[in-house]
Amino acid sequence: MKYSFVTGQLILRELKRKYSRSRLGILWSVLNPLLSMAVLSLVFSTMFRKSIENYPVYYVTGLILWNFFTGSTNAAMSALADNRTLLLQTSFPRAVFPVSRVLAALVNLIYSLAAYGVILAVFAIRPTWRMVLFLPIVALLGLFSMGVGFFLSILYAYFGDVRHLYGVVLTLWMYLSALFYPVTLLPPAMQAIVGENPVYCYIAAARDCMMYGQVPSAGLWVRMALWAAVIFAAGSLCFFRNQSRIIQRL
């Protein structure tokens, strides 16, 4: 890849920036899911005990994917604005900036898998070959996140208030992603809405292969692939059509 070195340096810079004022540094990527699991399990495990077996695993499986999605898209949103000087002084593709932010979030996800592995072991989740399917699920979510990040980076260059609006959207999106509750408790109409939520599709598929030792259904794979392909293509098209005009807006 022609710009792989530049991308790698941007990823390293992003990781250093994120943890620059933290004594524990990247260790927080491991501690965060453990601490979140402890808090949510304390609050909800009794409530959902009859509906969800191994509730902490259920929650953390969704949490690490949700953190990857929100972390990558929030970081990609300001990628162009944060690198205005480099955009003016260099000639390499502008897409490198949001892409490097998404890849940096992927590195954080990889670190958090250390904590996830501990949780799986503590709750005696037996390893199966189906767990390998977690990798293509993350890859598809990465493409979906990159497409959303491309959209947001262009919108943020024109409208700075997008950051605040997106925060509100993410709050609603989180509650529609069934991170900490079972979808079966919802009315049928709400179950249908949550079922069409793209992020929930990735979370449900991950739970199938990691918790239950099942291959996600063909319908779920189709939805995940379609969401990833359509959003990535649309986001890329939006980005490359507008990238030459955003310098004036930054």
Side-chain angles (χ1 to χ4, degrees):
M1 181 179 175
K2 186 176 180 181
Y3 297 99
S4 58
F5 176 78
V6 174
T7 304
Q9 291 302 305
L10 289 172
I11 292 171
L12 288 175
R13 190 186 68 172
E14 176 64 16
L15 292 173
K16 290 177 181 178
R17 183 191 65 81
K18 182 174 182 178
Y19 298 110
S20 61
R21 299 182 63 84
S22 170
R23 290 185 179 271
L24 294 179
I26 290 176
L27 185 59
W28 277 115
S29 294
V30 179
L31 292 176
N32 180 56
L34 291 174
L35 295 174
S36 298
M37 179 203 70
V39 172
L40 267 291
S41 296
L42 182 65
V43 175
F44 291 113
S45 58
T46 302
M47 184 183 303
F48 298 134
R49 181 181 298 170
K50 295 182 180 180
S51 304
I52 303 175
E53 185 179 2
N54 294 327
Y55 177 81
V57 182
Y58 178 91
Y59 171 68
V60 173
T61 303
L63 176 69
I64 59 175
L65 293 185
W66 176 255
N67 283 346
F68 170 54
F69 170 70
T70 57
S72 60
T73 53
N74 269 312
M77 178 177 7
S78 60
L80 299 178
D82 292 345
N83 291 282
R84 181 178 181 275
T85 302
L86 278 176
L87 284 170
L88 294 173
Q89 295 177 350
T90 59
S91 59
F92 48 80
R94 296 173 178 87
V96 167
F97 296 103
V99 168
S100 65
R101 293 286 178 91
V102 175
L103 293 178
L106 180 61
V107 173
N108 281 318
L109 182 146
I110 293 171
Y111 287 128
S112 70
L113 291 180
Y116 188 48
V118 171
I119 294 168
L120 292 176
V122 167
F123 288 90
I125 304 297
R126 296 179 58 184
T128 71
W129 68 266
R130 297 167 186 84
M131 288 183 174
V132 176
L133 298 174
F134 185 77
L135 299 178
I137 292 169
V138 170
L140 290 172
L141 177 57
L143 283 178
F144 177 81
S145 301
M146 203 168 290
V148 174
F150 279 144
F151 271 123
L152 291 173
S153 64
I154 294 297
L155 287 174
Y156 186 71
Y158 287 96
F159 311 103
D161 290 340
V162 167
R163 175 181 292 278
H164 305 292
L165 179 61
Y166 188 56
V168 175
V169 171
L170 283 179
T171 300
L172 176 61
W173 206 335
M174 179 189 70
Y175 285 109
L176 291 176
S177 298
L179 289 188
F180 54 85
Y181 64 85
V183 178
T184 53
L185 294 183
L186 298 174
M190 283 302 300
Q191 289 187 36
I193 293 173
V194 172
E196 294 304 319
N197 172 4
V199 176
Y200 173 73
C201 291
Y202 299 109
I203 291 173
R207 286 169 176 160
D208 282 344
C209 65
M210 298 301 291
M211 285 187 65
Y212 308 123
Q214 301 174 354
V215 176
S217 67
L220 196 54
W221 282 110
V222 169
R223 290 202 297 276
M224 287 191 296
L226 282 176
W227 276 116
V230 171
I231 297 301
F232 179 74
S236 300
L237 181 63
C238 173
F239 185 89
F240 289 109
R241 281 189 172 181
N242 291 277
Q243 63 174 340
S244 60
R245 293 179 290 192
I246 58 174
I247 298 298
Q248 302 172 4
R249 307 291 305 186
L250 294 176

